[in-house]
Amino acid sequence: MVRVLAVDDDPTILRLLQVNLEMEGHEVLLADNGRVALDTIRAQQPEVVLLDVMMPEMDGFQVCEAVRADPELTATPIVFVSARAQQADLDRGFASGADAYITKPFDPVDLVETIERLAAGRR
C-alpha cells in the first residue's frame, strides 16, 4: 500500500484518481488547491504526490518547487497529472523538480505503475 496525495481542483478528476488508486489497495489523501496540498504534504508526508498544474492559490509548479526547497520533503516523489501537454509544460514540470509527468487523459494502469515504482524507489 502506498499513501498517495492526489491534488486537482476538478472534483471529478479527484474522484477518478481516488477510485482507481483505492481499487489497487492504496491509501488516498485529497487536496483541491496548491496551498492545501502543501499543508497536507507537510502534515501527512505522503509517499507520492499526484499534482495538477493549473490550480487556484498555488499552481502545481509552485507546489513542486516548495516541496523541493524543503529539506524534510525534498525526497517526496511528485508526478504531474495535467492536461497541459506541450513540451514547454513538460520541461517546466521537470525543471521544477517532478519525477514524472503524465498527461490527461491518463491510463490508470500507467499511473499506478508509476506510483508504485516511485514509492518503491523511495523506500
Side-chain angles (χ1 to χ4, degrees):
M1 179 187 72
V2 178
R3 183 183 321 157
V4 180
L5 171 61
V7 187
D8 201 301
D9 60 333
D10 182 335
T12 303
I13 298 292
L14 276 182
R15 184 73 181 132
L16 179 66
L17 290 167
Q18 182 179 26
V19 167
N20 278 288
L21 296 174
E22 286 178 349
M23 281 181 15
E24 295 296 325
H26 301 302
E27 178 185 350
V28 182
L29 308 169
L30 302 173
D32 62 1
N33 71 59
R35 194 146 324 274
V36 171
L38 200 50
D39 292 343
T40 304
I41 294 165
R42 289 181 175 132
Q44 301 290 326
Q45 299 193 346
E47 293 173 80
V48 176
V49 176
L50 304 179
L51 196 54
D52 187 23
V53 171
M54 299 176 291
M55 294 184 297
E57 299 197 38
M58 287 178 81
D59 69 26
F61 299 128
Q62 292 169 315
V63 173
C64 189
E65 289 164 356
V67 169
R68 292 296 176 245
D70 186 326
E72 292 184 23
L73 304 175
T74 193
T76 305
I78 295 176
V79 179
F80 278 109
V81 181
S82 177
R84 303 212 32 186
Q86 299 294 321
Q87 188 60 49
D89 298 313
L90 277 71
D91 291 346
R92 184 164 178 210
F94 286 114
S96 70
D99 296 282
Y101 198 114
I102 296 174
T103 56
K104 297 175 187 172
F106 58 87
D107 178 343
V109 173
D110 289 343
L111 182 65
V112 168
E113 287 174 357
T114 300
I115 289 166
E116 292 174 352
R117 176 179 48 81
L118 290 170
R122 182 176 185 219
R123 290 184 180 134

